[in-house]
Amino acid sequence: NLQNIPATPEHRSCFIVDKGNKFVNIDYSGQELRITTQGSKEPVWLDALNNGRDIHAEVAAMMFKVPIDKVREKPEFLRGKTYRDIAKNLNFGIIYGMSEFKLSKELVITKEEAREMIDNYYKALPKLKSYLDSCKSYGMRNGYIRSFKPYSMIRFFPEWANLNNLDEKSRKMAIGSIERQSGNTPIQSSGAHVTKLALISIRRYIIDNKLENKVKLISTVHDEINCEVSEGFAEEWSKIQKDLMIKAGQEIIKVIPVEVDCKITDFWKK
């Protein structure tokens, strides 16, 4: 299970290519944040991503009301973390349904302090909050949630139909689960659509151009696609694969650029 191989040099460097070949490793840059921006149209994220600015730094400056050039400082109350660290943690955590309990545990702060941080985060990004709330409401009203257009695949919540028959504690837990999945599923499943589209396009390109002896699709982990490529063709192939992955992303992400990061190496590298 390559998903569970740690992304450390000590582990990934064990995976090497045959002599005369190169690893071409390309992954989507901020795939989930970009998909969330497509759904929410949050102006802060739109502006940052459309202008190549640091989205985590922008949110940190707004959350903590500090100048943008101070967001990498480590104030005492954040216990060794920077303002930007906290904003990055929340940017990813909120779309997974992070609660004040989880945040307080991660930062070793009180639940009240964590709640205040989350409140400040949502004040800085009201359109994002509105979008996530609307997803939760949709899931609770309908018993299912959809991925982004044009695919709109449905995820049903089996426990939804039985909510009224549960005891209070079980009902509360079920509602919490439905709301978390309703907020996160459209983002996660749409990201999966993008990666699958890219894989199909890459495979078709290899076959259509008779490149089977030069390029082999060898693994994909989340939003990262790895090929083993003849050394003399690696640079050219990296440009082809980049274009195919960006085009796949544009099927869903339309309001901001789709970006990818590329490495050409002798072993699997994060």
Side-chain angles (χ1 to χ4, degrees), residues 128-176:
L128 174 63
K129 184 177 190 306
S130 176
Y131 164 71
L132 292 174
D133 285 347
S134 70
C135 288
K136 293 173 185 177
S137 296
Y138 187 97
M140 283 302 300
R141 280 198 319 273
N142 298 287
Y144 65 86
I145 195 70
R146 291 181 178 273
S147 65
F148 285 21
K149 294 178 180 179
Y151 301 100
S152 301
M153 289 183 68
I154 294 176
R155 176 178 184 171
F156 288 100
F157 305 125
E159 64 271 41
W160 177 79
N162 197 42
L163 283 176
N164 292 332
N165 298 323
L166 299 175
D167 61 70
E168 186 177 350
K169 183 180 178 181
S170 298
R171 187 173 187 276
K172 188 175 181 181
M173 289 177 64
I175 288 172

Side-chain angles (χ1 to χ4, degrees), residues 13-225:
S13 62
C14 297
F15 296 83
I16 62 174
V17 291
D18 285 336
K19 188 175 181 181
N21 290 346
K22 291 285 185 181
F23 255 113
V24 175
N25 170 295
I26 304 180
D27 66 332
Y28 286 98
S29 176
Q31 187 196 65
E32 290 175 345
L33 292 179
R34 292 174 192 275
I35 289 172
T36 307
T37 305
Q38 175 67 36
S40 68
K41 311 297 191 295
E42 170 53 57
V44 175
W45 286 12
L46 277 170
D47 187 46
L49 292 170
N50 273 320
N51 292 285
R53 297 201 303 274
D54 184 339
I55 191 172
H56 306 307
E58 300 267 334
V59 172
M62 295 182 70
M63 264 186 76
F64 295 103
K65 297 180 171 55
V66 296
I68 197 83
D69 60 349
K70 302 290 186 186
V71 298
R72 293 182 185 273
E73 293 183 355
K74 297 179 179 180
E76 187 177 343
F77 78 97
L78 292 183
R79 296 170 174 81
K81 292 186 179 290
T82 68
Y83 295 111
R84 185 183 180 278
D85 290 335
I86 303 302
K88 183 176 181 180
N89 191 305
L90 284 166
N91 278 339
F92 288 107
I94 288 294
I95 60 179
Y96 285 100
M98 176 184 278
S99 67
E100 64 264 35
F101 302 104
K102 184 171 175 60
L103 185 63
S104 67
K105 186 176 180 180
E106 286 191 6
L107 301 182
V108 196
I109 58 177
T110 66
K111 288 191 285 291
E112 290 71 28
E113 289 173 318
R115 181 71 258 167
E116 185 179 358
M117 278 189 190
I118 291 174
D119 287 343
N120 289 337
Y121 178 84
Y122 279 136
K123 285 175 186 174
L125 304 168
K127 200 88 181 281
L128 174 63
K129 184 177 190 306
S130 176
Y131 164 71
L132 292 174
D133 285 347
S134 70
C135 288
K136 293 173 185 177
S137 296
Y138 187 97
M140 283 302 300
R141 280 198 319 273
N142 298 287
Y144 65 86
I145 195 70
R146 291 181 178 273
S147 65
F148 285 21
K149 294 178 180 179
Y151 301 100
S152 301
M153 289 183 68
I154 294 176
R155 176 178 184 171
F156 288 100
F157 305 125
E159 64 271 41
W160 177 79
N162 197 42
L163 283 176
N164 292 332
N165 298 323
L166 299 175
D167 61 70
E168 186 177 350
K169 183 180 178 181
S170 298
R171 187 173 187 276
K172 188 175 181 181
M173 289 177 64
I175 288 172
S177 175
I178 290 170
E179 288 184 341
R180 280 192 302 276
Q181 293 176 77
S182 295
N184 179 246
T185 294
I187 299 160
Q188 287 268 73
S189 59
S190 299
H193 289 324
V194 166
T195 303
K196 290 171 189 173
L197 286 169
L199 286 166
I200 291 166
S201 297
I202 291 167
R203 183 62 180 151
R204 282 178 179 164
Y205 191 97
I206 291 169
I207 293 169
D208 291 347
N209 292 277
K210 297 179 172 56
L211 295 173
E212 292 93 334
N213 293 328
K214 289 185 176 181
V215 182
K216 290 182 173 61
L217 259 172
I218 55 171
S219 69
T220 179
V221 178
H222 190 50
D223 61 355
E224 166 193 314
I225 298 175

